[in-house]
Amino acid sequence: MRTFVPSVLISCLTLVSALPWGLPPDGRFVLPLMPIAAIHFWAVRDDARLVEWFVFLAGLTLDVLSNGPLGFWSAIYLGAYALSVLAAGSVRGVRLGRWLSLVGVMTVLALMEWALSSLYYFEFADLWPLALGSIAVVLFYPILAGALRFLDPEMMSSANPGLTAGGRN
Amino acid sequence: MSVRRSESHIYMSRKARPLRRVRFRTVLPVLLILSAGLLVLSRLEHSAVREVRWHIAELMTPVLSAILVPLEPLRWVGQHVTKLADLTRELDDLKDENQRLRSWEWRAHELERKVGELTALSKVVRETPLEFVTVRVIANSSGAFVRSAMINAGTDQRLKSGYPVLSGDGLVGRVLETGRSAARVLFLTDLNSRIPVLVGRDGVRAVLVGDNGPSPRLAYALSGAHIAPGDEVATSGIGGLFPRGLRIGVVVETARGLRVRPHANLDRVEYLSILFYEAPSPDLAAVPERDGIPVAAEAGASASLDGGRDKAGP
């Protein structure tokens, strides 16, 4: 049951990112990165609430809906999950630390996306839209994190201020 | 430090922690390897992958259609905010264009009259108007790989692979795959898109080649052919995949040379029209022959010389 809310919210974000929003070409990369922000949100707070195969399925769903190569977004989402869990140990409970860890995770993922897409087509992909998407997610993260916290009853009801409000060290 | 300790206490028992660690070290690498395997299979374009993908996409169609309904106001706001930003520039462009078009209007009437006279004189076979169906875009491609969209109509609506797809502004692409209730449209900007076109007033033949960027390039034009910015690009009808004369875009000068800017805004298409256009060549193959010569060859030849499927568009 504890994994239910994160799973539902990540599913929603994944489906929403496949919808036709009429974004300009450079903005195409922003929406598929939003589920990454959500994955990071729970992974750095409590990775037990995320299930690895669910993260994999979310990425695979986006691959199917966007008609991209199968395995691309699932690899990126799993990468985001792994990096966030690894970063969690040092930033848990520190609001700025969590945000900085997202900056690091998004940087690594942008490079990973660029490398994977370049490798897939055997030609250098354009890094700019990927970087732009990552920057947008980093900037948008505080709002998204607030919304996710608001929608997660477990976080709202938690007595621990470190979890609900970013910690007071 | 106290916060970190209390979190562990809340969320993870001492027994659960090693279990998580084991899962992290075993399940995660397995899933990553599985993703890599799927990527390789996709690159090899394995038929099983394509079929499974299409079955899943079709299952998701009602879900996406349902999600679109409550999100409609949000999408409307988003699209109008983006539109407003472009509107001032567009207004100036339209004023200029309007002035130029007034002089062209007179010229067009003259030409129309002449064409009417010549058509009557040469007894050209009349083109039958094509049927079309208007559909809605329910999902869009995202990322570096493809430029395509999923629409909410399929074989149940008599759609077939290869049918041309248009928006109100011009050609958008063609139907790539069809399921029963959904289909995928390959945009003309996609890396796999190749469309035979005519460029400019001289009707220079070329092939419009997508490269996943916003402006596809022109390839295989004759050497020495005059192509300049501002030239209109339309389908040539060669190859039979598209009817002749569908508007595509205009030649523009970019940092990467001459490119074609599509008239249709492929990032904001919401409703699309699918033309029920069958390639004419299979019909010709079935034409009865007399002394080794197709009896309808003359009619076919005059139809191709006519070059006038301009009326085909919705």
Side-chain angles (χ1 to χ4, degrees):
Chain A
M1 194 60 195
R2 294 185 62 230
T3 59
F4 179 73
V5 174
S7 307
V8 167
L9 290 175
I10 290 172
S11 303
C12 289
L13 281 171
T14 307
L15 290 176
V16 162
S17 63
L19 296 180
W21 290 99
L23 292 173
D26 286 349
R28 281 173 179 278
F29 291 84
V30 180
L31 286 176
L33 298 177
M34 285 300 167
I36 293 180
I39 290 166
H40 178 271
F41 175 83
W42 277 291
V44 293
R45 283 164 178 82
D46 179 14
D47 57 284
R49 296 188 65 197
L50 280 180
V51 187
E52 293 88 345
W53 61 261
F54 182 79
V55 174
F56 170 78
L57 281 183
L60 205 58
T61 308
L62 188 58
D63 285 329
V64 169
L65 294 178
S66 64
N67 201 30
L70 292 184
F72 177 77
W73 284 115
S74 50
I76 298 294
Y77 285 7
L78 284 170
Y81 172 74
L83 290 170
S84 304
V85 170
L86 290 174
S90 49
V91 300
R92 195 165 279 168
V94 189
R95 184 182 283 175
L96 186 65
R98 286 198 292 245
W99 187 77
L100 284 175
S101 79
L102 181 76
V103 174
V105 168
M106 292 311 296
T107 308
V108 175
L109 286 179
L111 291 172
M112 192 174 149
E113 278 175 64
W114 176 80
L116 269 181
S117 44
S118 301
L119 205 63
Y120 189 80
Y121 278 129
F122 295 119
E123 66 176 46
F124 289 115
D126 193 2
L127 186 61
W128 170 242
L130 302 169
L132 193 78
S134 301
I135 293 166
V137 169
V138 167
L139 295 177
F140 192 68
Y141 182 72
I143 300 167
L144 185 76
L148 293 175
R149 193 181 296 129
F150 178 75
L151 293 168
D152 188 352
E154 187 159 328
M155 288 224 172
M156 288 299 280
S157 63
S158 169
N160 187 342
L163 293 170
T164 54
R168 293 174 182 83
N169 288 8
Chain B
M1 264 330 268
S2 61
V3 171
R4 204 173 297 162
R5 239 189 343 266
S6 63
E7 275 174 28
S8 303
H9 178 68
I10 288 170
Y11 283 137
M12 226 179 280
S13 68
R14 276 174 198 280
K15 279 179 189 171
R17 244 175 289 162
L19 186 69
R20 287 285 309 151
R21 216 171 291 147
V22 169
R23 270 178 57 189
F24 190 77
R25 285 181 188 165
T26 54
V27 178
L28 195 69
V30 168
L31 292 173
L32 277 169
I33 290 166
L34 190 61
S35 302
L38 284 170
L39 261 174
V40 173
L41 284 177
S42 294
R43 187 73 184 92
L44 297 173
E45 294 184 357
H46 199 280
S47 58
V49 171
R50 209 178 309 144
E51 286 205 5
V52 169
R53 171 206 290 276
W54 192 241
H55 282 305
I56 298 170
E58 225 179 346
L59 284 174
M60 297 298 288
T61 308
V63 179
L64 289 169
S65 299
I67 292 174
L68 272 173
V69 177
L71 290 175
E72 195 55 48
L74 209 62
R75 288 179 66 230
W76 187 87
V77 170
Q79 282 174 351
H80 279 73
V81 166
T82 334
K83 258 186 201 168
L84 273 174
D86 298 339
L87 221 57
T88 320
R89 186 178 48 82
E90 208 173 313
L91 200 66
D92 291 338
D93 290 349
L94 284 174
K95 276 180 188 168
D96 293 345
E97 199 177 330
N98 206 21
Q99 285 216 322
R100 274 188 289 113
L101 286 177
R102 273 188 195 144
S103 61
W104 275 102
E105 190 185 8
W106 177 83
R107 186 96 197 272
H109 283 310
E110 276 295 302
L111 288 170
E112 198 176 36
R113 189 181 56 77
K114 276 184 189 171
V115 168
E117 285 173 9
L118 289 169
T119 309
L121 278 173
S122 57
K123 294 179 181 171
V124 171
V125 175
R126 282 189 179 273
E127 293 292 334
T128 48
L130 291 175
E131 275 186 71
F132 67 93
V133 65
T134 301
V135 297
R136 188 169 189 186
V137 175
I138 53 169
N140 226 333
S141 61
S142 44
F145 295 100
V146 280
R147 294 288 175 266
S148 68
M150 197 149 81
I151 53 173
N152 64 346
T155 47
D156 285 355
Q157 286 74 30
R158 297 189 292 132
L159 296 198
K160 286 183 189 172
S161 299
Y163 277 179
V165 182
L166 297 105
S167 76
D169 301 315
L171 187 74
V172 163
R174 64 185 164 88
V175 176
L176 183 69
E177 295 170 298
T178 48
R180 277 190 61 210
S181 57
R184 190 163 284 284
V185 173
L186 187 81
F187 286 160
L188 52 89
T189 49
D190 187 275
L191 194 71
N192 296 308
S193 172
R194 304 281 184 277
I195 301 171
V197 291
L198 293 176
V199 186
R201 275 193 211 174
D202 300 341
V204 176
R205 285 182 182 180
V207 176
L208 189 70
V209 178
D211 59 359
N212 283 352
S215 311
R217 65 188 169 88
L218 290 166
Y220 307 115
L222 285 176
S223 58
H226 181 68
I227 298 176
D231 281 352
E232 279 288 330
V233 179
T235 53
S236 68
I238 293 168
L241 193 61
F242 295 96
R244 184 184 168 119
L246 298 178
R247 291 174 77 218
I248 295 181
V250 65
V251 177
V252 288
E253 180 91 59
T254 68
R256 292 188 292 172
L258 289 178
R259 295 271 168 159
V260 177
R261 189 181 62 215
H263 288 308
N265 190 337
L266 302 179
D267 299 308
R268 290 179 202 159
V269 283
E270 200 174 343
Y271 289 96
L272 294 170
S273 296
I274 318 287
L275 284 186
F276 291 162
Y277 176 78
E278 303 278 358
S281 39
D283 296 342
L284 287 175
V287 163
E289 292 183 356
R290 193 193 304 147
D291 301 330
I293 302 164
V295 289
E298 277 183 35
S302 57
S304 64
L305 283 170
D306 164 33
R309 284 181 186 266
D310 313 35
K311 288 168 272 178

